[in-house]
Amino acid sequence: MKQLKVDAIKDGTVIDHIPAGKAIQVLKILKTQGNHPVSIGMNLPSTKFGAKDILKIENHELSAAEVDRIAIIAPTASITIIRHYEVAEKRKVSVPEKLENVAYCPNPNCITNAESIATRFKKYKENADGKVDYMCNYCEKIYRAEDFKIKLG
Amino acid sequence: MSEYIFPEKNIISIRDLGRDELDYLVETAWAIESGRIKPNLNGRIASLLFFEPSTRTCFSFESAVKRLGGEALIMKGTNGTSVQKGESFSDTLRTIERYSDIVVIRHAVEGAARLASEVIDIPVVNAGDGANQHPTQALLDLYSIKKIRGTLENVKIGLVGDLRFGRTVHSLAQALSHYNPEFYFISPSFLEMPEHIKNELKEKGIKYTELPEVEPVVPELDIMYVTRIQRERFADSEDYERLKGSYIIDKETIKGAKEDMKILHPLPRVDEIACEVDSSPHAYYFDQAENGVYMRQAILSILLGEVK
Ligand SMILES: [Zn+2]
């Protein structure tokens, strides 16, 4: 791998191979704003995608729930946990089978937008272009993962 | 009846039902209609909660409950109810649960019946949730097709009208997909069958043909399933006036039909089937409405454990 254009960190998480332009969106769904130093690299050259974004978050290791949220926006992302400047763990972002209260249902006439209840989606289809569709457990409408509005916290 | 144990506690979506469950429901409806079994709901109470009024469906369920010797508590619309005072849906359900043995729900909001089934322990039947599902309609349609043809297998069926917004045709297509049907989807281009339904059929290897008018395929059909196209669906009224004639079934339309072809319609009909068709041997829609009562009797009896 080529040298990253952002400085190495001592402890924390590196999220690489984010589709170009999505870094800010990824950052928004993590619970790190204001708490940890974050460096962002945008539109960096990538052999795989042409261009990519990178996020480095110091002193924070991503939770499983955060990884699930990232999967919705940036299914191609790779996640590396750094401890004492060393790669401690690599986590593959995988497309979750189920989304438990991670996103709002985009259907305005869905019961989840009328009552205060958790949303639930299950994976409906992985498309040829790598994009993933989910079906709402309640209204049974089918949505592209990238069209979801993510629930924060 | 067979030793089969129905695995579902509720009837919420046609997607929840596999071929065995569908067969069992159809078989039970026939057993009830033919008098072979006589489930008894004496002393049992069904709450029919029609948050959105639908007199027809409500009467059909009420008739089913009463023919089984049970009693019904009926809410039609939310006027004067706790719902209007701002009670949450979940609270309404938790209260009604204490008054009854089974709940039938019609609601304009999609997913309401699913949520109800998660909130309460007694069985829930979805009698229509917005544009989503109306499984008891699809089940009575299946039952009708079974009675007409003696089998559900390999039916050649034309679905006519609004295939985009019509939940009835979606559920029916999904239900029939267990029985190797051949579909003709007949609609204006902007009201065609949604992509996801067509994809589901493709994955199951089920043949379908889409076309803008019904006449060319009439001679092929075993069943013609007609739905209404609402005027509001059209962007401009000129389109409506131009197109509506193509989707009105009259004696002329069905001239070339097979002798035993039957026309189904979920009712109420407005003008999409001309009244002159009613007296033809092809008209089946009023029998279909009657079949709805037997199917709903079957559903209520099965979910209440009274089919033995
Ligand atoms: Zn929904």
Side-chain angles (χ1 to χ4, degrees):
Chain A
M1 193 165 76
K2 273 194 189 153
Q3 197 52 46
L4 302 177
K5 292 263 167 43
V6 264
D7 291 335
I9 57 173
K10 183 177 173 227
D11 293 293
T13 306
V14 177
I15 310 169
D16 198 357
H17 300 111
I18 301 169
K22 297 256 174 128
I24 302 290
Q25 235 181 310
V26 170
L27 188 59
K28 267 193 192 154
I29 59 168
L30 303 177
K31 288 184 183 173
T32 52
Q33 294 118 305
N35 300 330
H36 309 283
V38 173
S39 0
I40 306 179
M42 293 181 79
N43 287 315
L44 305 176
S46 153
T47 40
K48 247 199 236 166
F49 305 107
K52 67 174 183 181
D53 289 359
I54 280 190
L55 275 179
K56 292 188 173 194
I57 304 151
E58 289 181 50
N59 307 319
H60 176 70
E61 296 188 7
L62 291 193
S63 67
E66 285 175 310
V67 175
D68 272 3
R69 290 202 187 105
I70 291 173
I72 299 171
I73 296 171
T76 54
S78 55
I79 291 169
T80 310
I81 309 290
I82 309 283
R83 291 177 199 135
H84 294 287
Y85 299 106
E86 305 259 314
V87 173
E89 209 179 307
K90 278 184 181 281
R91 289 196 201 152
K92 190 93 187 100
V93 170
S94 62
V95 176
E97 287 299 316
K98 285 181 178 169
L99 304 177
E100 301 279 348
N101 211 23
V102 166
Y104 295 96
C105 182
N107 172 10
N109 197 34
C110 177
I111 190 81
T112 60
N113 292 314
E115 296 269 310
S116 50
I117 53 166
T119 60
R120 275 160 53 204
F121 296 88
K122 66 170 184 241
K123 188 167 80 183
Y124 176 75
K125 195 172 179 226
E126 277 187 64
N127 296 283
D129 58 6
K131 294 185 172 168
V132 183
D133 295 336
Y134 283 92
M135 185 193 286
C136 174
N137 174 64
Y138 293 94
C139 70
E140 301 187 12
K141 289 235 172 350
I142 297 157
Y143 293 100
R144 212 27 63 106
E146 61 189 21
D147 296 333
F148 279 130
K149 192 172 159 236
I150 308 293
K151 283 194 174 190
L152 299 176
Chain B
M1 297 295 296
S2 51
E3 295 299 296
Y4 181 75
I5 294 167
F6 194 74
E8 299 291 325
K9 196 173 134 265
N10 313 292
I11 299 285
I12 306 296
S13 166
I14 218 72
R15 290 180 191 277
D16 300 336
L17 304 173
R19 193 184 151 122
D20 288 350
E21 289 85 66
L22 297 173
D23 284 345
Y24 182 70
L25 283 156
V26 166
E27 188 193 331
T28 306
W30 176 242
I32 289 171
E33 180 178 355
S34 61
R36 193 155 58 78
I37 60 168
K38 291 187 167 41
N40 185 356
L41 298 194
N42 186 19
R44 313 295 282 274
I45 296 173
S47 285
L48 312 183
L49 304 182
F50 281 62
F51 291 83
E52 170 193 60
S54 165
T55 306
R56 183 67 51 84
T57 307
C58 190
F59 275 4
S60 178
F61 270 104
E62 190 178 358
S63 170
V65 172
K66 290 185 170 165
R67 285 184 176 178
L68 291 164
E71 309 224 24
L73 304 175
I74 300 170
M75 181 184 93
K76 284 185 186 173
T78 55
N79 259 342
T81 67
S82 325
V83 179
Q84 215 184 23
K85 295 174 193 152
E87 186 176 54
S88 78
F89 179 71
S90 300
D91 278 8
T92 305
L93 265 295
R94 287 188 188 106
T95 311
I96 298 297
E97 179 180 24
R98 306 302 177 102
Y99 304 160
S100 43
D101 301 296
I102 188 166
V103 171
V104 176
I105 295 177
R106 168 83 153 219
H107 205 296
V109 176
E110 291 146 25
R114 177 77 67 193
L115 175 60
S117 74
E118 293 173 352
V119 170
I120 62 179
D121 289 327
I122 60 174
V124 175
V125 178
N126 184 4
D129 60 331
N132 182 32
Q133 284 271 335
H134 191 3
T136 67
Q137 177 72 47
L139 290 167
L140 78 88
D141 293 341
L142 274 196
Y143 182 47
S144 298
I145 295 169
K146 170 82 173 189
K147 278 175 68 179
I148 292 165
R149 300 182 64 247
T151 175
L152 288 168
E153 301 289 340
N154 310 319
V155 63
K156 287 190 178 185
I157 180 169
L159 306 180
V160 185
D162 179 354
L163 307 186
R164 179 165 170 207
F165 297 102
R167 63 181 173 195
T168 303
V169 287
H170 303 164
S171 301
L172 179 58
Q174 287 166 335
L176 273 175
S177 70
H178 296 278
Y179 302 94
N180 189 40
E182 189 172 338
F183 287 115
Y184 296 90
F185 297 149
I186 301 132
S187 72
S189 59
F190 62 96
L191 292 177
E192 66 185 33
M193 194 57 98
E195 229 30 66
H196 74 269
I197 304 252
K198 289 190 277 186
N199 285 335
E200 286 173 20
L201 297 176
K202 263 186 227 161
E203 276 164 24
K204 289 185 168 180
I206 289 161
K207 268 206 274 182
Y208 66 83
T209 311
E210 296 183 277
L211 61 171
E213 48 190 29
V214 68
E215 276 84 357
V217 294
V218 167
E220 305 295 322
L221 301 179
D222 302 319
I223 304 283
M224 183 191 289
Y225 195 102
V226 183
T227 61
R228 180 155 41 113
I229 298 185
Q230 291 171 12
R231 195 185 206 107
E232 308 88 83
R233 303 289 186 216
F234 287 83
D236 71 85
S237 55
E238 244 175 68
D239 279 353
Y240 176 77
E241 293 305 326
R242 187 167 49 82
L243 271 166
K244 75 170 186 191
S246 320
Y247 299 93
I248 290 178
I249 309 301
D250 55 20
K251 276 193 161 163
E252 185 62 27
T253 324
I254 55 173
K255 222 171 42 189
K258 288 191 234 178
E259 210 176 300
D260 55 359
M261 188 276 279
K262 297 289 182 199
I263 301 171
L264 273 64
H265 189 298
L267 303 183
R269 152 188 63 174
V270 182
D271 57 5
E272 56 279 10
I273 302 175
C275 292
E276 64 181 26
V277 176
D278 297 359
S279 58
S280 96
H282 300 295
Y284 192 80
Y285 23 95
F286 296 111
D287 300 285
Q288 184 187 358
E290 181 184 333
N291 291 338
V293 179
Y294 303 124
M295 178 48 80
R296 289 172 177 129
Q297 283 181 268
I299 291 166
L300 295 166
S301 310
I302 291 169
L303 296 183
L304 286 169
E306 290 299 331
V307 177
K308 290 157 188 159

